[in-house]
Amino acid sequence: MLRFLAYLKPSTYYFVVASLCGVTIYLVPNLIPTSVGYVIDRILGESAGPAHAAKPNALFDLIDLYLNHVLGPGASKSSRIETLLGSLLAFLPFWGILVYFRAYLAGIGGQHVIFKLRNDLYEHIQSLSLSYFQKNRSGSIVSRLTSDIGLAQNFIGNACTNLWMDTLSILILGGYLLTLDVRLALVAFSVLPLWITSVRLFGQRIRIASHAVQEGLSEMSGQVQEKMSGVTVVQAFAQEKREVLTFHKLHRSLLDRQVTSVRLSSFNMAMSNLLTTIAPVTVILVGSLEVLHGRLTIGTLLMFWAFLGTFYGPLQRITDLAAVISNASAAIERIFQIFDIRPEVKESEHAVSLAAKTPGRIQFKNVIFGYDDAVILKDINLTIEPGEVVAFVGPSGAGKSTMIQLVPRFYDVKVGSLKIDGTDVRDLRIKSLRNAIGMVLQDNILFTGSIRENLGYGKPGATDAEIIAAAKMGNAHDFIMALPAGYDTEIGERGAKLSGGQKQRIAITRAFLRDPRILILDEATSALDSESEKLIQSSLERLMVGRTTLIIAHRLSTIRHADKIVAMRDGRISEIGTHTELLARRGVYHDLHRAQFEH
Ligand SMILES: Nc1ncnc2c1ncn2[C@@H]1O[C@H](COP(=O)(O)OP(=O)(O)OP(=O)(O)O)[C@@H](O)[C@H]1O
Ligand SMILES: [Mg+2]
């Protein structure tokens, strides 16, 4: 909560001004009971005879002073009533304006806090490592950014300024009620211990229930988001019914949690309503008896009774706020849980930048790696010289993709080291490292937007000429020009409106455009027909010149000319050599080759 409150600091101005408006707003309603008491005891009471004459009262004396100042002494009773209540009526529109400004400023302040918090959270999420995103569903991350933040917003919008204002006015008014009539005040306060117990009892439970609701909501968003983006598979396997059922089940569990939460808040509300209604009745009961015995005037009793409204009003609000605050603090807890997650791949404090024109020598030394506890890569020793083209082959699951993902430091090695031009990747600035690398990965992820935007994604500010030149190299220019809107064609979510081969060519061009020192191609040409593959092959060969290239291909024809072929099996390197050397060795590569070219 303290960490959250720190976010309020930059908006202090809004909250201070809102609070100042608040002071006036809270004072004015208290003028009404005072005026009522005054009118009855000092004006009407006098006509009713000396038995009803008022006791000494400082506030009444103040009103006397005011009326004498305006009307002069000896003004008629009716003109005093008119002036007093008339002034009050005249002031109320200003009060309305203040109410507006208070709500407005507090609201704006709250929005600014949320704005900063949400931005920081998004920035933090972006800084997390790939492994975090593999463990958490994207929909559930989204729900933290939307629904949890929304709840936190409830907290500040009004809660923050109401809370201390209400507390303050309860204390001041409580003190004043005590001076008015101790016995009556004690009767009025008698429900307070019960009230405090109920707030404490329910607050904690509401918070826990709300936490559960938010968890359920985020689970459901995760499910919806994933199944929406994979809707093709759902339809292809005709599993719509089942998805609806799964959704219903998740939703039902959310409903159960909501019901618990609603039950608790309703109970909480009932308790506080009950307590705050019991109090005035007991006050009137005891007070009337006091009046009968001549220990209290009717005016004071009425005044007391009217003050209870302004006393229990804030108390009631605090109770309602207790629920809001419980909900919000659950959300805030969830938000800061994310802030507490540290990226697994973290830039070292003494990190150095990799030169833009670095030669690109890659060295794996005794590398052991696994995503979690299971070891995937074992005893990897491999040196790739600058400008070399190295191909990785091997059966599916051998660890080829895993191996190349260590180079941009998507993950850190468990044991051993990975050096680029002599520096351990863990000592490099992550941005400079990744800027030196162009990647075409096994699944080509494109974003909603035009082809031009997608091509330029890795190089913001690329000129049209650069983009077109790269597209020609990537053998994408012709098909792009054949599209109705050319480079401005919108490609849909994840590039849904393009064919697999087209997406692949966009991805290749996107990597070309960065002019990287190190090129990583994971099955970059697998979605292409033999004709396009040949074309791409020639442009890839042009592109590879002068760059260190790591290429994974199942189709062995595409890597025949690599400088080095690394054959992998079960997370180990089993052979390294050129095409002819490895064929002659009659090992893994020979077997793979024979299987592919047997016909
Ligand atoms: N994110 C991950 N978390 C845990 N295990 C993973 C993860 N990614 C891959 N693996 C495991 O690591 C092993 C190697 O996978 P990898 O993707 O490197 O294989 P590959 O050689 O690229 O295979 P393919 O040719 O099919 O692409 C596999 O057994 C796989 O189950
Ligand atoms: Mg792979």
Side-chain angles (χ1 to χ4, degrees), residues 83-94:
T83 311
L84 176 61
L85 295 179
S87 315
L88 207 56
L89 278 179
F91 187 73
L92 285 179
F94 292 103

Side-chain angles (χ1 to χ4, degrees), residues 484-501:
Y487 282 84
D488 294 315
T489 308
E490 293 289 325
I491 59 171
E493 193 175 60
R494 292 170 157 258
K497 294 185 197 162
L498 295 178
S499 77

Side-chain angles (χ1 to χ4, degrees), residues 421-438:
D421 294 322
T423 317
D424 194 305
V425 286
R426 285 168 292 195
D427 296 328
L428 288 172
R429 305 277 306 274
I430 294 176
K431 191 169 161 54
S432 76
L433 167 67
R434 292 183 186 166
N435 272 342
I437 298 172

Side-chain angles (χ1 to χ4, degrees), residues 311-443:
F311 180 76
Y312 280 102
L315 209 58
Q316 183 74 55
R317 268 202 299 274
I318 292 184
T319 320
D320 297 344
L321 272 184
V324 171
I325 290 173
S326 300
N327 285 333
S329 53
I332 288 168
E333 203 175 292
R334 281 167 48 85
I335 292 168
F336 282 91
Q337 269 171 6
I338 295 204
F339 275 118
D340 281 340
I341 298 171
R342 297 279 124 227
E344 281 178 21
V345 172
K346 206 166 169 257
E347 190 163 283
S348 119
E349 279 175 28
H350 317 289
V352 292
S353 279
L354 191 65
K357 289 280 165 224
T358 200
R361 181 173 201 265
I362 303 170
Q363 198 176 14
F364 290 80
K365 210 166 173 189
N366 301 325
V367 167
I368 296 181
F369 173 78
Y371 292 96
D372 19 61
D373 294 334
V375 174
I376 304 284
L377 296 179
K378 296 150 223 159
D379 301 328
I380 302 289
N381 280 293
L382 176 69
T383 304
I384 302 169
E385 298 300 336
E388 246 181 6
V389 174
V390 175
F392 294 84
V393 299
S396 184
K400 308 179 294 290
S401 297
T402 304
M403 181 122 172
I404 55 151
Q405 291 193 30
L406 294 178
V407 179
R409 217 184 148 203
F410 283 164
Y411 307 93
D412 275 334
V413 299
K414 293 265 170 351
V415 178
S417 68
L418 170 56
K419 288 182 177 166
I420 294 192
D421 294 322
T423 317
D424 194 305
V425 286
R426 285 168 292 195
D427 296 328
L428 288 172
R429 305 277 306 274
I430 294 176
K431 191 169 161 54
S432 76
L433 167 67
R434 292 183 186 166
N435 272 342
I437 298 172
M439 297 193 95
V440 181
L441 292 180
Q442 223 163 348
D443 351 279

Side-chain angles (χ1 to χ4, degrees), residues 278-293:
I278 286 175
V281 178
T282 48
V283 164
I284 288 291
L285 173 74
V286 176
S288 308
L289 294 176
E290 296 272 290
V291 172
L292 267 185
H293 292 108

Side-chain angles (χ1 to χ4, degrees), residues 203-223:
Q204 174 73 358
R205 292 199 192 162
I206 290 176
R207 200 169 59 83
I208 294 170
S210 163
H211 198 99
V213 166
Q214 290 301 108
E215 287 290 334
L217 208 58
S218 103
E219 233 167 86
M220 199 179 75
S221 325
Q223 166 79 7

